[in-house]
Amino acid sequence: MGRLDRKIALVTGAGQGIGAAIARLFALEGATVIVSDRDEALGTRVADEIAANGGRAVFYALDVTDEAAWQRTMSWLQGEYGGLDILVNNAGVALVKSIEDTTLEQFRDVMRVNVEGVFLGIRHAIPAMTARDPSRSGTASIVNLSSVLGVQGIPDNIAYGTSKAAVRQLTKCAAIEFAERGYRIRVNAVLPAVTETPMVSREIEEWAEQGTFGTRDVAATRAAFSARVPLKRIATPEEIAYTVLFAASDESSFTTAAEYPVDGGRLAV
């Protein structure tokens, strides 16, 4: 407990799934959490739940594809909290379609959220993170959610896989640039495997619909995907959140530009 005491943390896409698990864990570890999402109902519910359990959390509406919204958010953070210690770029969307069936506009829609949203978060976090009181412990930390599907290819995944590969490069470029310029901002990436979230449940249904893994049965599709993981199961959001916690905390103070797979051994085979 207390691994994020006195930290101000912004988590995007925190209304459900991995983002919600991260927000809850961060609050449990002492952070003041800004629960951001474009869905006000979902985000408010998570923030209220955290507060009801004794944590510190507020909801702040944010569409990560809107640059003006990022500017307003960071300006508000500086005015309200004096800066930002942790940014988790978690918001993302998926698209399960073959290359032939993926339109240019659909491809761009995924890029807007998964790539441009991360770029805007990194870019506009700089003033809020460099404005931190120099006496505050440790460095500021940006954690980007990529995916093992940004490393390995699977069918019907061209837009999502490409976007998550781009997040890995955004992470490395930002981390090295910030280090070279003397910014006290570390940037790392976490690469989950398929995780039990509402988005993944929809993906599994869509994979089944398309017969991506040789079956159109939802349960069989889930089993087929789980079988590809050496640990033979799908991850929980909490398992991803604990790795994000380490990357965000001062415990990883000498780590930047790193990639943390949370994949049940998937990338090793």
Side-chain angles (χ1 to χ4, degrees), residues 69-266:
W70 273 110
Q71 292 169 320
R72 288 193 300 271
T73 301
M74 293 301 169
S75 177
W76 172 77
L77 279 165
Q78 287 182 255
E80 191 75 15
Y81 298 105
L84 179 65
D85 297 294
I86 299 165
L87 168 64
V88 180
N89 282 311
N90 167 75
V93 296
L95 179 69
V96 176
K97 278 186 179 290
S98 69
I99 296 171
E100 295 164 292
D101 291 334
T102 300
T103 68
L104 178 58
E105 190 54 36
Q106 288 171 329
F107 189 87
R108 285 173 173 168
D109 285 344
V110 174
M111 294 301 145
R112 286 186 192 103
V113 177
N114 295 3
V115 181
E116 292 180 19
V118 174
F119 164 73
L120 291 172
I122 293 170
R123 182 174 189 270
H124 291 293
I126 296 171
M129 288 185 157
T130 55
R132 296 165 69 246
D133 185 335
S135 68
R136 291 178 68 79
S137 66
T139 56
S141 176
I142 298 175
V143 184
N144 300 322
L145 270 291
S146 179
S147 171
V148 297
L149 298 182
V151 180
Q152 294 182 328
I154 66 169
D156 302 324
N157 190 57
I158 188 72
Y160 184 79
T162 301
S163 73
K164 291 303 184 179
V167 170
R168 296 173 58 214
Q169 191 65 8
L170 281 168
T171 300
K172 294 171 186 177
C173 289
I176 300 308
E177 182 171 320
F178 291 172
E180 292 291 338
R181 294 190 176 177
Y183 295 167
R184 296 176 66 240
I185 305 172
R186 298 180 299 107
V187 191
N188 294 290
V190 171
L191 282 60
V194 170
T195 305
E196 291 284 3
T197 66
M199 185 177 80
V200 166
S201 292
R202 290 191 295 272
E203 281 185 287
I204 290 172
E205 291 172 0
E206 289 165 354
W207 281 326
E209 184 179 327
Q210 300 209 29
T212 302
F213 298 104
T215 175
R216 295 188 183 274
D217 179 77
V218 174
T221 298
R222 176 182 289 272
F225 204 96
S226 298
R228 292 174 169 231
V229 179
L231 291 184
K232 305 305 180 191
R233 65 177 178 85
I234 292 175
T236 68
E238 291 73 23
E239 288 173 315
I240 312 304
Y242 271 102
T243 300
V244 175
L245 170 64
F246 173 73
S249 75
D250 293 336
E251 294 169 2
S252 59
S253 58
F254 197 59
T255 303
T256 197
E259 296 178 342
Y260 296 94
V262 191
D263 64 349
R266 178 86 188 276

